[in-house]
Amino acid sequence: MVRSSRSNDWGFPRWRGYEAERQASRVRLCDRHGCEAPGDRPAPKSPNSPDRWYFCETHAAEYNRNWNYFEGLDEEEAKRREASEQRTANGYANASHYAWGGSGDGTRSRDEMRALEVLGLEVDADFEAVRGAWRRLAKANHPDVRPGDKEAATRFQGIQAAYEVLRVAEERRQWKPA
């Protein structure tokens, strides 16, 4: 019986991945002594150092549980560094949904501010006021109430979109993980 010598690279579609090679690929092993698993999870060797360990998933989890960023620093220096890093990282926590573009106090996003403007409400309006304004404006501009009025239909669509933005934002604020 004759053995086929055809490669996997002929014709279309390619049967082998574009980045695949015939040679064995190089795999970095876990840096933990005696571990033969692939080391594909980088971990810092020390604070503010570009050097990294490369662990498997199990050893990376163990390393992270035992990692102390402030090890080797006295208590005063650790507090100073923690305060410094919190000061520079706070913007990320406050801007998680672009709230910084809104009311200025970080409670409403820019889209929510536009939605409140469409509904004719103040920045500090609660959701009951939003629901009341939405119902009042929707009844006044509904296409069934004002047939043939293109401007009212356009206003109605804007009112619906504004209410949807505020409803989703309220649900996001009320949601608590289990």
Side-chain angles (χ1 to χ4, degrees), residues 161-172:
Y163 177 73
E164 188 64 23
V165 165
L166 293 168
R167 185 187 62 78
V168 168
E170 183 67 18
E171 286 177 0
R172 186 173 54 232

Side-chain angles (χ1 to χ4, degrees), residues 60-80:
E62 177 186 335
Y63 183 79
N64 288 337
R65 274 192 304 274
N66 298 325
W67 170 257
N68 181 3
Y69 180 79
F70 301 109
E71 185 177 0
L73 300 176
D74 60 355
E75 186 175 340
E76 182 180 310
E77 176 62 26
K79 286 182 180 179
R80 187 171 38 249

Side-chain angles (χ1 to χ4, degrees), residues 69-115:
Y69 180 79
F70 301 109
E71 185 177 0
L73 300 176
D74 60 355
E75 186 175 340
E76 182 180 310
E77 176 62 26
K79 286 182 180 179
R80 187 171 38 249
R81 185 175 288 186
E82 182 179 10
S84 165
E85 292 187 9
Q86 283 183 350
R87 183 174 49 251
T88 59
N90 281 345
Y92 295 109
N94 290 340
S96 63
H97 67 283
Y98 299 110
W100 50 267
S103 62
D105 63 354
T107 58
R108 300 237 187 230
S109 70
R110 188 175 300 170
D111 290 337
E112 291 174 74
M113 297 300 290
R114 285 193 207 113

